[in-house]
Amino acid sequence: MADEAELRRLYDVHANALYAYLLNLTRNESDSHDILQDVFCHVALHHDAVAKAREERAFLLRMAYNAFVDTTRRRHARELREQSFAQESVGLFEQAAQADEAVFRRELEAAMGELPVEQRSVVHLRLWEELTFDEIGTLMQIPPDTAASRYRYGIDKLRDRLRHLYDEIK
Amino acid sequence: MNGMNSEQFEDYLRRQPLRGTPPGWRRKILAEAANASSARARSGSSGRWAKVLVGWMWPRPIAWAALATAWVVILVLNQLAAPTPDESARASAGAAVAEANLQLLGRLDELDVAADTAPVRPRSAPESKSPDQGMLEWPETPIASQT
């Protein structure tokens, strides 16, 4: 079991990344909170596994993904939940100082929400966690090639959706 | 592609800063985690005793046999000590009789108390018997025997 100082350290180092990932998956702040709490309770009870992990962040992201999958399974309405998650705006990104950046972030969040959750997860892990496809494959328990193809599909959709805004900014 | 470089686009996406955890979550989540940890520690102490017991007994088959024998003896004694249906029927009948007796005693007590608290009435004069009445009660002697 982890002592409190170790839990605090893990929270300070990883909580923001886990929260952003969960928020992108669930599209719901309350669900993200519940899953994040489950993750840290699990860490408190099974700290040995975290300590033995080669990549602490990747291990915790995997725990968060598994907890998300369990949560959606438990609700017996996974498809409905994912659709409703995707339609909600939750403030995934920080507030932008400039108006065109704010519009881009809002549209990016909406575009991410339109992706199937498996593609959304891969895109998030690749872009903002900078994981390799091998690492993403391990985390989501899929072959690396599948992770790569999901990423390409996701990025293509984002590019099509955001092309006009991106061209204006650039 | 309209001059839209894929790598540049991905880099631009990557530079969009994600929002951090809301303030106040840290304390709450860490407190919950600490609670979960301490609850496990509490429940773990009984588990440790079980582990110690198993660790001590596992290499000692005689200890296991003694434990099993003790359980068998306890079960047998328990069976022997249990009343038969006949005995329990008798016991319940006896209990019913005892109950009825108690109720009777209770009524008698009530009667005694009522008698003690009743107002004292002046006693009537003792009945004096007239000589005639005495004679009448006397057994008649047959005349034949007098003669």
Side-chain angles (χ1 to χ4, degrees), chain A residues 135-151:
Chain A
E135 288 170 329
I136 294 171
T138 305
L139 193 153
M140 294 178 67
Q141 294 156 42
I142 53 173
D145 290 346
T146 306
S149 65
R150 282 181 185 172
Y151 178 73

Side-chain angles (χ1 to χ4, degrees), chain B residues 125-138:
Chain B
E127 286 176 3
S128 56
K129 292 178 181 174
S130 66
D132 291 341
Q133 277 178 316
M135 285 300 288
L136 285 173
E137 286 176 5
W138 198 261

Side-chain angles (χ1 to χ4, degrees), chain B residues 11 30 33 40 52-53 57 73 83 115 117 125 139 143-145:
Chain B
D11 281 344
L30 289 176
R40 168 66 73 87
V52 166
L53 191 66
M57 289 181 78
V73 168
T117 55
I143 295 167
S145 63

Side-chain angles (χ1 to χ4, degrees), chain A residues 52-110:
Chain A
K52 283 177 194 160
R54 205 171 43 190
E55 288 289 333
E56 211 171 65
R57 172 70 63 84
F59 188 84
L60 292 171
L61 284 166
R62 182 176 179 173
M63 284 174 74
Y65 178 74
N66 289 340
F68 164 73
V69 171
D70 286 347
T71 303
T72 48
R73 272 194 195 137
R74 272 203 300 270
R75 287 178 182 175
H76 297 293
R78 185 175 176 181
E79 295 300 320
L80 286 173
R81 285 297 303 174
E82 283 166 6
Q83 282 167 17
S84 67
F85 286 160
Q87 286 158 7
E88 289 171 30
S89 172
V90 287
L92 187 61
F93 298 102
E94 284 182 6
Q95 295 282 336
Q98 293 179 342
D100 54 350
E101 274 191 348
V103 171
F104 185 84
R105 285 179 193 177
R106 202 165 52 239
E107 287 299 310
L108 173 58
E109 184 181 335

Side-chain angles (χ1 to χ4, degrees), chain A residues 1 8 11-12 16 19 29 33 37 44-45 90-94 104-105 127-128 151-152 159 163, chain B residues 1 4 6 8-10 12-14 16-22 25-26 29-30 32-33 36-37 40:
Chain A
M1 276 176 283
R8 279 198 294 272
Y11 188 93
D12 291 341
N16 281 343
Y19 168 68
E29 191 158 294
H33 173 273
Q37 187 164 293
L45 297 176
V90 287
L92 187 61
F93 298 102
E94 284 182 6
F104 185 84
R105 285 179 193 177
L127 286 180
W128 287 288
Y151 178 73
R152 287 263 65 87
R159 192 166 48 228
R163 183 187 301 272
Chain B
M1 187 69 84
M4 186 180 183
S6 184
Q8 284 177 352
F9 177 67
E10 288 171 39
Y12 187 71
L13 294 184
R14 195 171 283 126
Q16 304 306 311
L18 295 162
R19 187 159 65 94
T21 49
W25 281 25
R26 185 179 186 273
I29 287 175
L30 289 176
E32 279 293 324
S37 181
R40 168 66 73 87

